[in-house]
Amino acid sequence: MMLNDPSLKYRPFPQVDLPNRQWPSRVITAPPRWLSTDMRDGNQSLIDPMNAEKKRRFFDLLLKVGVKEIEVGFPSAGATEFDFISGLVRDGAIPDDVFPQVLTQAREDLIATTFESLRGAKKAIVHVYNAVSPAWRNIVFQMDRPQIREIAVTAAKLLRDNAAKQPDTDWHFEYSPETFSTAELDFSLECCEAVIDILQPTPEKPLILNLPATVECATPNIYADQIEWICRNISRRDSVVISLHTHNDRGTGVAAAELGLMAGADRIEGCLFGNGERTGNCDLVTVALNMYTQGINPGLDFSDIDEVIQTVEYCNQLPVHPRHPYAGELVFTAFSGSHQDAIKKGFAAQEARNDQIWDVPYLPIDPKDLGRDYEAVIRVNSQSGKGGVAWVLQQDKGLKLPKRMQADFSKVVQALADESSRELNAADIWAAFETHYRLAGEQPYSLIDYHESGAAGDRIFTGKITHKGGERSISGRGNGLISSVLAALRDELGVDLEVADYSEHAIGAGTDVAAAAYVECRTPDGRTIFGIGTDTDVATASVQAVLSAANSIAAGR
């Protein structure tokens, strides 16, 4: 049961003493170095860890996306991990521009096994860690600060000595003061400096210092303060790469990573779609696409986001949530009528713009940049409005309904959605459209053939239509084609309509296109009736639109 006074059990996280902090006024202008830890940190968090086939499939996906630093596993954890990593090396599967990275605890035997797994590699990163925070020192290890520091020093020496035994490999090193986010800053710095003293990094071959939010225990601004503090106080800043490894316990793993970059970090570690222990790791997809929407090329390619999702879901056996940023099935979808109207107008405005700057309401990124279609941007249910219905018909059938016709048909769709209590797909909407405007099935009036004659302003329509199960010839005179059709219906069939509005447009583009024609008609008793016709000939489409309205009258509307 939750406590009425949680302060009896929990303490607020302390602030960082950082006068004149600089990160709040900085902006991200370039991408970081990216490290995927999907195959290590992500893999260890799965209910069923990936087998060799899935790990290889995931590895190939990361290469395709463009990740250049990949933590491929924990080789000392067992034969499966060791064999997979050594197999990548043996098979020549690692491109020359990609760094494989492996993780090891700070133990002599484990470090030796780790180096052995990479024997023959052209280059590699070996990542060693030891926990430094008070909870781990006092509860887990029961060691004091000097003892914890000595673990880091011993590990650094082992990295140096094991690398010297395999001089043909270009070795790089990473050190993590694990649990950094809950440790004293001065002690984290002390451990990092001790490792620097042993490994002697240079600007040409820097040491990676990973400063993880192993457990996220504070707001992301505090993590940014911690990162800036280290960046200010670390010696040989030009010889170290500050790397971030945030977790998502408070739901701000992405924000912490972004603020950490603003605070001076150079590298981000995480997983595709944020898989990882507990609530997950930093989501590389979200951070990268956040940059993309700010005009920064992140260096990672998610042009086919659905292929990435398919592979990750297969390998992890975990679904990507429908509302996941950028990637979820529903993130580019609007059901609300007001949202749909704004998006529809936004797309129209975008087409009319003279520049390529993206500016569509509710859509921070163009779905097509991620390989998504516009068809799913607007979907229809009981919350939808006329704009949403019109969008579906435009995307599915190429029809651009006049505004008043949109309003007329949206009432039909609203009633259908209320009755069915479910989302309506394009087929549902089209079936309702054909029924409402009398376009399908046997109708009282259907055009068989026609021709027109006469001079401009005095046109004669002569047509043959179906009527009461048979054929009937009708004719009428007017100042144009539509008025002559209306005269024929009125004089010979008793269908009295007056056209209040008419519009037409091409369907598609090119030389082989169809045309759509729309009429808004008034009856003598003041009712409004709409009709639509489509044909490869725009004049024929106009005649069919008038007959569509006449059929609605005959049906009792």
Side-chain angles (χ1 to χ4, degrees):
M1 180 180 296
M2 292 182 68
L3 303 176
N4 289 329
D5 182 5
S7 67
L8 298 174
K9 189 173 184 178
Y10 301 100
R11 292 170 294 177
F13 200 88
Q15 300 290 310
V16 176
D17 183 15
L18 188 68
N20 193 30
R21 55 181 54 82
Q22 298 299 305
W23 66 262
S25 60
R26 294 176 183 157
V27 295
I28 298 171
T29 59
R33 289 170 54 173
W34 303 102
L35 173 95
S36 162
T37 186
D38 288 275
M39 300 168 67
R40 199 278 304 174
D41 207 350
N43 189 47
Q44 74 178 17
S45 69
L46 299 177
I47 299 170
D48 297 309
M50 288 182 274
N51 58 22
E53 181 269 330
K54 288 181 178 178
K55 291 196 78 170
R56 182 58 185 269
R57 183 166 173 175
F58 212 125
F59 181 77
D60 290 340
L61 171 68
L62 293 169
L63 296 181
K64 186 174 183 179
V65 167
V67 181
K68 300 301 182 184
E69 299 176 45
I70 303 172
E71 198 161 55
V72 291
F74 202 133
S76 62
T80 300
E81 290 280 281
F82 185 97
D83 292 344
F84 173 77
I85 294 163
S86 60
L88 288 177
V89 176
R90 183 177 58 254
D91 296 343
I94 305 170
D96 289 346
D97 63 343
V98 171
F99 274 97
Q101 177 170 307
V102 290
L103 183 70
T104 178
Q105 293 169 311
R107 281 174 40 190
E108 183 174 4
D109 58 330
L110 302 184
I111 291 174
T113 300
T114 299
F115 274 88
E116 187 61 31
S117 73
L118 289 166
R119 182 171 294 277
K122 295 179 181 179
K123 59 184 181 181
I125 301 169
V126 179
H127 177 191
V128 68
Y129 68 94
N130 68 302
V132 301
S133 67
W136 268 257
R137 294 197 311 261
N138 300 329
I139 300 171
V140 181
F141 302 122
Q142 298 180 356
M143 292 181 176
D144 57 18
R145 279 191 177 195
Q147 290 173 305
I148 294 294
R149 179 184 180 279
E150 186 58 31
I151 292 175
V153 169
T154 300
K157 291 177 180 178
L158 290 168
L159 293 183
R160 179 195 62 195
D161 296 345
N162 277 271
K165 297 175 183 177
Q166 297 186 45
D168 292 337
T169 298
D170 180 17
W171 295 106
H172 294 248
F173 304 122
E174 175 172 347
Y175 170 66
S176 292
E178 194 193 7
T179 65
F180 163 83
S181 58
T182 53
E184 308 93 334
L185 284 170
D186 66 321
F187 185 55
S188 293
L189 179 65
E190 181 182 336
C191 291
C192 290
E193 293 287 8
V195 172
I196 289 173
D197 288 343
I198 300 299
L199 296 177
Q200 292 295 308
T202 65
E204 295 72 30
K205 198 165 187 177
L207 168 67
I208 301 169
L209 291 178
N210 179 41
L211 306 178
T214 306
V215 179
E216 187 178 43
C217 293
T219 50
N221 61 295
I222 290 180
Y223 184 66
D225 282 349
Q226 293 172 325
I227 299 302
E228 183 170 333
W229 191 94
I230 292 289
C231 289
R232 287 189 190 184
N233 289 281
I234 195 79
S235 67
R236 296 191 243 184
R237 179 64 181 91
D238 63 347
S239 298
V240 297
V241 171
I242 301 299
S243 189
L244 308 177
H245 184 118
T246 60
H247 281 258
N248 201 43
D249 300 273
R250 293 171 55 95
T252 57
V254 165
E258 290 179 329
L259 297 191
L261 286 180
M262 294 162 60
D266 310 294
R267 186 177 186 251
I268 286 182
E269 306 183 3
C271 295
L272 301 184
F273 309 119
N275 178 47
E277 302 120 316
R278 304 180 307 280
T279 55
N281 288 15
C282 177
D283 176 7
L284 298 184
V285 177
T286 298
V287 178
L289 293 178
N290 282 352
M291 292 181 186
Y292 182 82
T293 64
Q294 303 304 299
I296 301 168
N297 185 341
L300 300 180
D301 186 0
F302 296 110
S303 297
D304 190 348
I305 196 72
D306 289 330
E307 180 190 11
V308 177
I309 292 169
Q310 183 181 29
T311 300
V312 172
E313 288 186 332
Y314 167 75
C315 294
N316 287 347
Q317 293 296 293
L318 291 172
V320 172
H321 195 279
R323 297 293 183 188
H324 194 101
Y326 301 110
E329 180 186 358
L330 298 177
V331 295
F332 298 126
T333 300
F335 291 101
S336 162
S338 60
H339 290 207
Q340 292 172 341
D341 182 63
I343 291 170
K344 183 173 179 290
K345 290 175 179 176
F347 272 107
Q350 190 72 23
E351 291 180 4
R353 290 173 64 90
N354 294 324
D355 57 51
Q356 297 182 4
I357 298 299
W358 180 255
D359 189 18
V360 175
Y362 294 111
L363 296 179
I365 191 172
D366 185 349
K368 282 195 176 296
D369 288 357
L370 305 181
R372 292 277 174 86
D373 293 326
Y374 291 148
E375 283 81 355
V377 170
I378 291 176
R379 288 161 61 174
V380 176
N381 63 15
S382 61
Q383 304 298 309
S384 304
K386 62 181 185 297
V389 174
W391 171 269
V392 172
L393 287 172
Q394 181 176 337
Q395 296 299 307
D396 189 51
K397 299 296 181 182
L399 301 179
K400 301 176 183 178
L401 304 188
K403 286 187 178 296
R404 286 189 290 272
M405 192 174 185
Q406 291 178 25
D408 178 70
F409 184 56
S410 70
K411 297 174 184 176
V412 176
V413 175
Q414 182 72 43
L416 179 60
D418 287 336
E419 179 183 350
S420 62
S421 298
R422 64 174 177 85
E423 179 189 354
L424 302 181
N425 58 35
D428 296 326
I429 293 170
W430 180 242
F433 189 84
E434 287 185 307
T435 299
H436 187 67
Y437 295 111
R438 305 296 164 180
L439 304 180
E442 187 175 339
Q443 300 296 333
Y445 313 114
S446 298
L447 182 65
I448 297 174
D449 193 15
Y450 81 97
H451 68 272
E452 56 177 324
S453 58
D458 183 21
R459 306 296 292 172
I460 298 173
F461 168 83
T462 303
K464 183 182 294 184
I465 64 171
T466 61
H467 178 59
K468 295 182 178 179
E471 295 182 1
R472 170 126 179 217
S473 295
I474 60 173
S475 64
R477 183 187 296 268
N479 60 11
L481 175 60
I482 291 179
S483 61
S484 62
V485 175
L486 290 172
L489 291 173
R490 180 185 64 247
D491 298 340
E492 300 204 23
L493 298 174
V495 180
D496 193 358
L497 292 170
E498 176 182 318
V499 171
D501 190 40
Y502 170 84
S503 62
E504 63 186 44
H505 65 80
I507 301 176
T511 57
D512 187 20
V513 298
Y518 310 92
V519 291
E520 179 183 342
C521 300
R522 300 281 190 273
T523 64
D525 59 1
R527 287 177 294 154
T528 298
I529 303 294
F530 293 89
I532 175 177
T534 59
D535 196 84
T536 54
D537 175 65
V538 67
T540 302
S542 302
V543 175
Q544 290 179 335
V546 173
L547 291 177
S548 168
N551 284 326
S552 291
I553 292 293
R557 284 186 54 207

